[in-house]
Amino acid sequence: MPIHSDDSLERGTTIDGRPAGLRTIARDAHPISRKDISPNALRVLYRLRDAGFAGFLVGGAVRDLLVGGHPKDFDIATSATPEEVRHLFRNSRLIGRRFRLAHVVFGREIIEVATFRANVDDGSGDRELHAGGRLVRDNVFGAIEDDAIRRDFTANALYYAIDDFSVRDYTGGFEDVQNRVLRLIGDPEQRYREDPVRMLRAVRLAAKLGFSIDDATASPLPVLAPLLRESAPARLFEECLKLFLSGHAVASFLGLERHGLLPVLLPETSSALAANRSGALRRMLLEGLRGTDVRVANDEPVSPAFLFALLLWPAYCRTLMALQAQGMHAAEAQRRAADRVTLHQLSMIALPRRFSLPMQEIWLLQSRFAQRQRKRVMRLLAHPRFRAGFDFLVLRQFASNEHSEEVAFWQEAQTQPMDPLETHSDEQALEPGEEPAQLDGDAPRKRRRRRRPVASQ
Ligand code: ATP
Ligand code: MG
């Protein structure tokens, strides 16, 4: 596609050794059409323009439209201050502390409108850096060029103008999108130090878009990965949801592994996978993530509890084995292992209790699938987490096919009519004298006592 550019160099700065300046890609030289843009976003753009402000569609939406994708949200950058936006739109509110911006609300759709910001220290105290170079506040308004270069990747720094439908490119992002390359703007190490979450964003966006990561952007990742520990655990949780529940979980996981981020993000899982010589746990994990991607593609619901049960299962298995090897009783070991793994992981990723509790339930249910007495079967079938627990059991077949008989049994049991007197859902762990859990690590297994399945009685 030819690039029409007016190449009006307004600043003499260079970005990563490449010339910085405005390149305007005219409407006939890019594929973005107004019919692919949310009508509400168009409304905001027109209103800003009519009020005399500059307003552009920016960021992920422009990037996604250029590669033929469907943006999930439409962000706008403007010369208007948040207060001016607030006055212009009755249906708006101001949000954010680190970034002050306006949300314009149209029913269920929210259009985020942010004032052009600079990534410079003007001495006003509106921009603070921590000793390590981490950015803590970033509220200095600036020109559009400043707004472009403070963004993370060149592909995310493209501006779609409503007055002439052109795309404005200050960082070489248009060419990078065409070549499907993800490239940080500026010095990669400095940009990662400012905000280590950018490391996860690099892997996530490469996975989502099928882009490669430019060498200079990729090479610092394994070295700087430990900086992620300084990021807010709540932000890391949000980023994990985007990594794994947006339809590209397998690619995200492989990217995290490949670029050395997994040992920092999920340390216990990472070491448990390394210790699992057969590779069975990794196969199971990847199979679970593949299933998640299929569900997202089919518009079926996906649950963070199930996701984290999967991501932390290797860590849980390993901890459980260690506790049982110390002679701890199975039921006690299961509870302790679940708590320990959750607690350790929480220091990195703030998994809310509404997800960590069902996650633990999914783990604790696993040992109950071995129990086939009629009463226990009925009780388990009525358990609110039965379905998730069963789906998890199905996945465990990928680590060890010794679960196939259990899977067949419980598949069949679900088709049997329920006894209404038996349906209550109190959570029960193994009772004294009962068998320890059969889990999927490398440790030696005990032989399981056979019980006659109720379904065949
Ligand atoms: P998606 O919405 O598909 O996950 P996105 O690029 O739109 O990806 P958002 O988190 O919605 O991601 O961010 C919107 C825009 O804000 C980005 O495109 C980028 O320009 C900028 N941005 C987001 N996070 C950062 C960051 N950590 N550092 C610099 N710029 C960022
Ligand atoms: Mg976005």
Side-chain angles (χ1 to χ4, degrees):
M1 188 182 292
I3 294 174
H4 301 267
S5 74
D6 60 13
D7 276 352
S8 53
L9 281 170
E10 285 156 29
R11 293 155 62 91
T13 48
T14 64
I15 294 171
D16 200 13
R18 298 170 340 138
L22 170 64
R23 165 178 273 182
T24 304
I25 299 100
R27 171 63 191 96
D28 60 354
H30 70 71
I32 300 179
S33 156
R34 266 172 299 164
K35 72 173 170 25
D36 299 321
I37 300 174
S38 143
N40 291 325
L42 291 174
R43 256 176 224 127
V44 175
L45 287 171
Y46 285 125
R47 171 101 48 108
L48 285 168
R49 184 196 59 182
D50 294 347
F53 296 109
F56 299 89
L57 191 65
V58 69
V62 180
R63 177 199 70 209
D64 290 353
L65 289 171
L66 284 177
V67 297
H70 301 283
K72 58 176 166 40
D73 42 38
F74 291 84
D75 298 338
I76 286 171
T78 180
S79 57
T81 64
E83 285 73 21
E84 286 168 332
V85 177
R86 173 76 196 89
H87 283 120
L88 215 47
F89 298 93
R90 267 197 338 190
N91 52 331
S92 69
R93 55 178 185 237
L94 298 185
I95 61 142
R97 275 210 300 167
R98 185 175 156 209
F99 300 140
R100 237 160 26 106
L101 37 83
H103 274 175
V104 188
V105 184
F106 298 90
R108 293 180 62 185
E109 187 180 20
I110 292 176
I111 305 294
E112 202 167 280
V113 184
T115 306
F116 296 141
R117 278 197 305 272
N119 202 0
V120 289
D121 193 347
D122 64 357
S124 69
D126 272 342
R127 186 172 189 276
E128 295 169 19
L129 284 184
H130 257 204
R134 193 157 53 88
L135 208 50
V136 285
R137 269 176 80 210
D138 182 11
N139 235 346
V140 182
F141 298 142
I144 181 170
E145 298 88 335
D146 305 312
D147 191 75
I149 60 170
R150 63 110 194 144
R151 289 175 185 275
D152 46 8
F153 303 99
T154 61
N156 284 347
L158 294 167
Y159 296 76
Y160 172 87
I162 202 63
D163 19 356
D164 60 359
F165 315 124
S166 67
V167 171
R168 314 268 169 102
D169 178 6
Y170 295 88
T171 66
F174 189 73
E175 206 179 319
D176 283 341
V177 171
Q178 286 188 309
N179 296 327
R180 307 184 83 82
V181 176
L182 209 57
R183 186 195 310 273
L184 268 177
I185 298 168
D187 173 56
E189 181 168 337
Q190 184 193 335
R191 300 307 309 279
Y192 288 138
R193 284 188 187 283
E194 280 175 2
D195 181 4
V197 172
R198 289 175 183 149
M199 294 191 273
L200 295 180
R201 287 178 55 85
V203 166
R204 172 167 75 80
L205 292 172
K208 164 177 165 156
L209 302 162
F211 279 23
S212 63
I213 306 179
D214 173 64
D215 281 348
T217 298
S219 58
L221 290 173
V223 186
L224 299 183
L227 293 177
L228 272 178
R229 297 195 189 104
E230 293 166 23
S231 301
R235 234 184 125 201
L236 293 182
F237 172 69
E238 291 301 323
E239 201 56 34
C240 276
L241 297 187
K242 291 188 184 177
L243 276 161
F244 295 111
L245 297 183
S246 307
H248 47 76
V250 171
S252 291
F253 184 84
L254 297 177
L256 292 174
E257 264 189 338
R258 177 164 171 211
H259 295 288
L261 301 180
L262 197 66
V264 182
L265 194 64
L266 300 169
E268 293 193 2
T269 284
S270 179
S271 59
L273 290 177
N276 179 228
R277 287 180 302 275
S278 68
L281 287 172
R282 189 169 177 279
R283 273 200 303 284
M284 170 190 166
L285 188 42
L286 286 172
E287 183 55 27
L289 295 178
R290 199 186 63 79
T292 308
D293 288 345
V294 170
R295 290 182 69 88
V296 174
N298 292 338
D299 260 339
E300 292 171 64
V302 284
S303 104
F306 192 89
L307 169 73
F308 277 91
L310 184 66
L311 290 174
L312 298 179
W313 176 250
Y316 171 74
C317 288
R318 193 158 184 240
T319 308
L320 180 57
M321 298 287 185
L323 292 175
Q324 287 189 276
Q326 292 165 16
M328 192 181 289
H329 183 267
E332 173 69 5
Q334 287 167 29
R335 263 184 262 112
R336 289 267 189 102
D339 284 342
R340 200 174 283 184
V341 169
T342 310
L343 202 68
H344 281 180
Q345 188 61 57
L346 278 178
S347 67
M348 191 68 197
I349 300 174
L351 181 61
R353 271 172 74 81
R354 69 179 185 282
F355 301 129
S356 66
L357 292 180
M359 168 187 83
Q360 294 187 336
E361 276 186 305
I362 291 172
W363 292 339
L364 296 177
L365 280 180
Q366 297 307 306
S367 62
R368 291 175 55 180
F369 289 115
Q371 303 163 23
R372 314 268 180 89
Q373 302 99 317
R374 183 176 175 77
K375 210 171 157 185
R376 286 175 179 275
V377 168
M378 289 307 179
R379 214 184 271 160
L380 190 48
L381 283 172
H383 191 285
R385 215 67 63 196
F386 170 80
R387 188 69 221 183
F390 174 74
D391 287 347
F392 203 84
L393 175 69
V394 172
L395 274 181
R396 289 173 60 210
Q397 280 192 102
F398 285 87
S400 150
N401 49 22
E402 82 177 48
H403 302 296
S404 48
E405 192 218 335
E406 261 173 40
V407 169
F409 170 85
W410 287 98
Q411 196 104 55
E412 170 70 18
Q414 289 173 69
T415 65
Q416 303 292 310
M418 286 262 246
D419 179 346
L421 293 176
E422 300 282 358
T423 55
H424 59 95
S425 62
D426 56 335
E427 181 61 53
Q428 287 216 341
L430 289 176
E431 280 159 17
E434 279 182 317
E435 302 232 329
Q438 299 291 305
L439 296 170
D440 310 311
D442 280 340
R445 294 161 200 280
K446 289 189 180 176
R447 272 181 78 87
R448 210 179 319 170
R449 235 184 312 148
R450 294 244 169 238
R451 293 193 171 112
R452 267 208 304 158
V454 280
S456 61
Q457 278 172 352

